[in-house]
Every structure is written in C-alpha cells, then in structure tokens.
Amino acid sequence: MGTTPLIKLVDLEKKYISQNNAVTALSGINLDILKGDIFGIIGMSGAGKSTLVRCINFLEKPTGGTVIIGDKDLSLLNDKELRSVRQEIGMIFQQFNLLMQRNVEDNICFPLEISGMSKSEGRKRASELLELVGLSDKKKSYPSQLSGGQKQRVAIARALATNPDILLCDEATSALDPTTTRSILGLLKDINKKLGITIIIITHEMAVVEEICNQVAIIDKGRLAETGKVEEVFSKPKTDAAKKLVYHSSNAVSEMTGKRCIRIVFDGKSSFEPVIANMVLECRAQVNILFADTRDINGQAFGQMVLQLPEDEIISDKIIHYLKSKNVNVEELVDYVG
C-alpha cells in the first residue's frame, strides 16, 4: 500500500433538486483511499452509501466538491476522458446484473467487445478470469443455470476483464447466504492480494467490514461520521453512528441492565481460550453475559461480548484488570446507544 491516495474525495456533495424541494444525499465528504486498500463504506439504509459509490465513478455527478482518481479531477474531464477513467474502475452489484441471454464466457467478454478487443483475445482473457474465480467448468453455462454465489463470481470476473485499478462493490453480498458471502469475501481478498487492486466495499453489515476491510468509513445521514482502521473503529467506536453499527452487529440488547456493564472486544491479539471461564475461576465472581458474538479465525479470537459485572466495585475492578492482562480490549458502557 502506498501513501499517496489513489482516490481522494474533497468536500463531496450531492443534492437532488425537484420542482418543489431539494434533498441533500451527501454533504462534506472528505476521504482518502490508498492504493491496495480494501476500504469499507458502511451505514444504515438510506445513509447515502450507494450515492457515494456512484459519485466516485461519476455515474452520479456531484453537485459540489471534488473526486480525484490518480492525478485526474473527474469534474474537469470531457465525456471521452471520463469513459477512459471508468475503464479503470470495475463494479459489482447486489443483483449481479448479468446478461441472461449470454453464457458465462460471453458475459465476461462483453466489456472487452466494447473496448475493441478481438474475439480471440477476449476469449483468452475470459478463460484466465474464470480460472481466477474458480469457474473454469462453467464457461458455456447460462446465468439461469448458476447459483447466486456463482453468478457473483461471474460478475467479479466481468468487472476485472479490462484490468481495472479499482473495484467498487455495492452491497455485493447482500443477496447471498452467510457461507456464500464468506467465500465471495475470501475471493475478493485473494484478488486484492494477487492483483494489488483497490477494493471499495459498500455494505450495511459490520460483519462484512470486519471480515475483509483494513479501513472503514461510517456514513450517517449523508455525512462522514467516523473513519479509520477497522480494528480501531470496531474496538473503540467514538460516534453514536459507529456505536449503533458495532453494537447492533451482534443483536445487542437495547438497554444495559445492572450497575456496571462492559464490552470486551477480541481483535485477534489474544488466543482463543475460555477467557470468561478462566476469569470466573481466577476472580471467584460470576458475571451475566448479556450477549456474545465470538469466532475463532486461525486460532485467534475475534468478536465481542457485553458483560454485566457484580455489584461489588472491588471485584468488578479486579475482573477488568484480569481481562486487560489477557490482551482483551475492555470498554465500560456508560453511554451505550440503543
């Protein structure tokens, strides 16, 4: 990853103006996305995420601010120059958007035909991409013969056909089941590693961001609420918008009970061991687990729990000290946002 932004958004604004009123979809968005990033943009429904991703490639023209890709200010380009820049940007969607009357190979060749590549070269490129996404045996199949995950793999191959520098993913896994989602996210991570392509993930699911992204921006009501490294935003959310997304990602209870409650975050720095059971034995105190969402990834612990602590302050302090000694991030939920 470099230090010079590949994508730079400066004071980005998008308004929709009708005869009777104006609606501001985006306001004051400032973001730097570095080459090689897997960058998550997350927010609740209606927050402005999809509008933002369409502004990045000028499918929606911003009403204010600047989008710079590489050394090009998109607002200064004519239509021909803009089409040239868009060839460097692949895009995949929630509903796949495949051409149902074309087979898999022809779907992937379609953007290459538009760019003027010969038919033989296009088919060669399609074969390479089908191998990359693990669908070499589906070359002559039609979209109606494929599963949702296979359709999205074809869509990814098609998006990569013109060798883009950037891949925009607009809710690309929302229509898929959890197992298929993980396989598609694994494929995107592999593509990022092999090709060095910059990936932008638009999603409303914190679990998707945690799984694949290294940086995240949280959009709330058309504004940038919070941005930073995923592990930092996940473990120590600062804004109400971030807290809602992080806490609700595990169906957290909407109201804390008890005098003191803590949220503990497993961010991969601690081994997956029975931390809570060991804590109960060590501190000789019971806690109430209000919710838990933890998983073991390569022997490391990821996830979060909310615990209600005992009334005794000394024992509660001892529990917090013990957890911190086990490299677990601990946060007291004083201002929990339900």
Side-chain angles (χ1 to χ4, degrees):
M1 296 180 193
T3 55
T4 302
L6 177 63
I7 302 170
K8 191 174 184 68
L9 310 181
V10 183
D11 294 330
L12 193 69
E13 180 185 274
K14 178 62 181 181
K15 289 184 179 179
Y16 294 99
I17 301 171
S18 66
Q19 193 171 6
N20 299 320
N21 66 341
V23 176
T24 300
L26 297 171
S27 180
I29 304 291
N30 291 280
L31 274 181
D32 288 352
I33 300 175
L34 304 184
K35 181 174 176 57
D37 270 348
I38 303 182
F39 198 105
I41 296 175
I42 186 172
M44 300 291 192
S45 295
K49 307 182 300 295
S50 291
T51 301
L52 177 56
V53 77
R54 290 172 67 85
C55 283
I56 289 175
N57 61 5
F58 260 48
L59 288 176
E60 293 272 6
K61 290 197 174 183
T63 47
T66 305
V67 177
I68 299 171
I69 295 181
D71 59 355
K72 297 180 178 72
D73 181 341
L74 270 56
S75 65
L76 302 179
L77 304 183
N78 59 37
D79 287 346
K80 183 179 179 181
E81 291 168 333
L82 200 52
R83 284 195 297 271
S84 177
V85 170
R86 286 199 188 114
Q87 285 191 331
E88 300 169 8
I89 305 172
M91 195 163 184
I92 57 174
F93 307 89
Q94 180 179 351
Q95 298 301 331
F96 322 125
N97 290 10
L98 299 178
L99 300 170
M100 301 303 288
Q101 73 277 18
R102 285 181 169 234
N103 64 29
V104 165
E105 182 180 50
D106 289 341
N107 262 280
I108 297 169
C109 287
F110 183 64
L112 299 173
E113 292 171 19
I114 294 172
S115 68
M117 183 179 287
S118 69
K119 194 170 184 178
S120 61
E121 284 296 312
R123 294 197 181 285
K124 180 182 177 183
R125 176 70 177 145
S127 292
E128 294 169 354
L129 290 167
L130 283 170
E131 185 175 348
L132 177 67
V133 301
L135 289 180
S136 294
D137 60 333
K138 299 295 183 181
K139 185 183 295 188
K140 299 301 180 183
S141 299
Y142 284 83
S144 61
Q145 299 171 305
L146 304 178
S147 67
Q150 289 170 336
K151 289 176 186 175
Q152 196 58 286
R153 285 173 180 266
V154 175
I156 291 169
R158 182 183 59 184
L160 295 174
T162 57
N163 287 308
D165 296 320
I166 300 162
L167 185 61
L168 304 180
C169 307
D170 189 2
E171 297 282 8
T173 60
S174 295
L176 305 175
D177 63 74
T179 300
T180 307
T181 291
R182 283 192 294 273
S183 73
I184 293 297
L185 294 178
L187 173 62
L188 291 172
K189 193 183 293 186
D190 191 45
I191 287 168
N192 169 261
K193 186 177 180 181
K194 286 181 177 177
L195 305 180
I197 192 170
T198 303
I199 299 177
I200 299 174
I201 305 278
I202 305 294
T203 184
H204 64 277
E205 300 175 276
M206 198 68 188
V208 170
V209 172
E210 295 164 25
E211 183 80 21
I212 190 174
C213 300
N214 62 297
Q215 297 282 333
V216 64
I218 295 174
I219 304 296
D220 183 47
K221 298 175 183 176
R223 293 183 174 273
L224 182 63
E226 194 165 336
T227 186
K229 293 181 178 180
V230 170
E231 61 268 24
E232 292 174 359
V233 173
F234 176 73
S235 60
K236 296 178 181 178
K238 298 180 179 68
T239 62
D240 286 354
K243 289 177 181 179
K244 282 182 180 180
L245 285 165
V246 171
Y247 297 154
H248 289 187
S249 68
S250 318
N251 297 318
V253 291
S254 60
E255 189 173 319
M256 295 295 106
T257 59
K259 188 175 180 182
R260 288 178 77 179
C261 294
I262 60 172
R263 172 174 171 261
I264 62 176
V265 178
F266 302 91
D267 59 3
K269 295 176 183 175
S270 54
S271 60
F272 203 89
E273 57 176 282
V275 174
I276 304 304
N278 290 345
M279 177 203 72
V280 169
L281 292 172
E282 178 75 20
C283 300
R284 298 183 180 180
Q286 292 185 340
V287 295
N288 183 21
I289 300 176
L290 298 180
F291 78 81
D293 176 21
T294 58
R295 56 198 180 279
D296 181 356
I297 301 177
N298 297 325
Q300 300 299 305
F302 289 85
Q304 58 180 319
M305 290 184 180
V306 170
L307 307 179
Q308 179 186 15
L309 300 182
E311 293 290 334
D312 190 305
E313 294 288 332
I314 294 174
I315 295 176
S316 292
D317 289 340
K318 186 177 181 181
I319 288 171
I320 292 171
H321 177 75
Y322 175 85
L323 291 171
K324 288 182 176 178
S325 74
K326 296 298 180 182
N327 294 321
V328 176
N329 290 316
V330 181
E331 171 195 9
E332 289 215 44
L333 297 180
V334 178
D335 298 315
Y336 177 76
V337 179

